[in-house]
Amino acid sequence: MNELKHVGIIVDGNGRWATKRNKSRSEGHLEGSKNLEKLILNISESNIKVLSLYVFSTENFKRDKNEVDYLMNLFTKWFKIINKKYKNKNIKILFSGRKENLDKKIIKEIESLEHETNDNTGLIVNFCLNYGGRAEIVDATKKICSDVINDKININNLDEKIFGEYLYNNLPDLDLLIRTSGEQRISNFMLWQLSYAELFFTNTLFPDFTYEEFANIVNSYMKRDRRFGGTNKN
Ligand code: IPE
Ligand code: IPE
Ligand code: MG
């Protein structure tokens, strides 16, 4: 059995789910958010420690303004709803991403969620919003350079462990990455953290992705032979 601390999900396929039903892309995002709310609750009852959810990439700002505005409003409202629900479920919320070009309203909800759930000790849910794996590495590098210039760290001591401390959140490496919707690519998600992650791609569009399917993927993950560059111990 493999250890499973950190799972990442690339939440994808909301648009295609809607288009297939002659609905607007917005309706797909709304349905995706409802599904995500349930999925997080189910996962919080498992032994998984950290769940990173890719919900908006730095590149998603390239989309039509109406879609971006809809998504930002949806996140803002949805964060308010889950703030009350998750606090009592012992779920701790974190955010990874660039806050600079996000609207003040969404930042307020993000900070409130982080604050309200700060003392919770159960599942850590890390929302990756306005997140890019390359942006995270660049932002960490800038902070390191600044600390080197200010003599806070000695460049000769810099190693992978210390580098990890400069990322948006210092989380364990990703063990398992799931992407819904059939696309088989990483799309700039957690490039640093997924160096040895096991990858699973499912054709299911996110609004249809159930906890049952998630649990089946976890079972398959348990049987994978993870070697980390070494040789099989058996
Ligand atoms: C994922 O669904 C949600 C976000 C990226 C915000 P998409 O909106 O990418 O859905 P598809 O890929 O167009 O179906
Ligand atoms: C990746 O999905 C980002 C999120 C799921 C938040 P996209 O739908 O933006 O990715 P591409 O464009 O298909 O690579
Ligand atoms: Mg997509």
Side-chain angles (χ1 to χ4, degrees):
M1 293 274 271
N2 289 315
E3 198 182 28
L4 182 54
K5 278 194 198 148
H6 188 178
V7 179
I9 305 180
I10 301 179
V11 170
D12 197 15
N14 292 345
R16 276 163 285 168
W17 181 92
T19 307
K20 267 174 68 182
R21 288 165 179 76
N22 286 321
K23 292 175 188 264
S24 64
R25 292 181 59 83
S26 304
E27 288 174 274
H29 293 313
L30 182 64
E31 200 62 29
S33 71
K34 288 181 189 161
N35 192 37
L36 194 55
E37 195 178 318
K38 278 190 285 177
L39 190 66
I40 293 170
L41 282 179
N42 282 318
I43 296 175
S44 74
E45 284 165 15
S46 71
N47 289 327
I48 293 161
K49 308 264 179 301
V50 187
L51 175 66
S52 286
L53 298 166
Y54 200 15
V55 294
F56 195 91
S57 70
T58 46
E59 291 75 31
N60 286 147
F61 274 112
K62 288 182 196 160
R63 293 187 182 196
D64 187 85
K65 188 178 179 299
N66 287 332
E67 181 169 350
V68 172
D69 287 350
Y70 179 85
L71 276 166
M72 292 302 156
N73 281 325
L74 178 64
F75 289 135
T76 310
K77 280 192 232 153
W78 189 69
F79 288 154
K80 213 175 241 159
I81 295 170
I82 63 169
N83 201 329
K84 291 199 188 77
K85 291 193 181 166
Y86 290 178
K87 197 182 169 181
N88 308 326
K89 299 277 180 191
N90 202 21
I91 294 171
K92 183 178 165 88
I93 307 279
L94 298 177
F95 281 85
S96 292
R98 284 187 173 159
K99 286 186 180 167
E100 297 94 83
N101 41 356
L102 291 176
D103 196 85
K104 279 200 197 87
K105 283 192 218 145
I106 194 168
I107 301 280
K108 199 179 135 231
E109 291 306 327
I110 288 174
E111 287 174 352
S112 165
L113 262 175
E114 286 180 315
H115 177 75
E116 292 294 325
T117 64
N118 189 42
D119 296 331
N120 284 351
T121 54
L123 177 72
I124 294 172
V125 177
N126 172 38
F127 284 111
C128 300
L129 198 161
N130 194 19
Y131 174 86
R134 286 187 169 185
E136 180 171 33
I137 292 168
V138 169
D139 290 351
T141 307
K142 282 185 183 165
K143 285 185 251 166
I144 291 167
C145 291
S146 160
D147 280 359
V148 169
I149 291 165
N150 295 315
D151 282 333
K152 287 191 185 152
I153 59 162
N154 180 334
I155 197 155
N156 296 317
N157 295 337
L158 183 63
D159 59 15
E160 291 176 18
K161 187 175 172 292
I162 293 175
F163 194 95
E165 291 164 13
Y166 282 87
L167 296 170
Y168 296 135
N169 289 294
N170 189 15
L171 300 169
D173 281 344
L174 268 177
D175 297 301
L176 164 62
L177 173 72
I178 301 169
R179 181 170 189 153
T180 57
S181 92
E183 306 301 351
Q184 301 194 10
R185 53 177 171 261
I186 300 302
S187 300
N188 202 12
F189 184 57
M190 296 200 126
L191 300 179
W192 177 272
Q193 298 87 338
L194 59 71
S195 57
Y196 271 97
E198 294 295 325
L199 311 180
F200 281 78
F201 300 99
T202 166
N203 288 330
T204 307
L205 301 172
F206 186 74
D208 294 328
F209 185 67
T210 59
Y211 180 70
E212 196 185 4
E213 184 173 1
F214 175 86
N216 285 337
I217 292 173
V218 168
N219 282 340
S220 306
Y221 160 84
M222 289 298 172
K223 293 177 204 134
R224 290 251 181 119
D225 183 15
R226 301 187 81 191
R227 291 190 290 276
F228 300 96
T231 49
N232 195 327
K233 286 181 225 99
N234 302 319

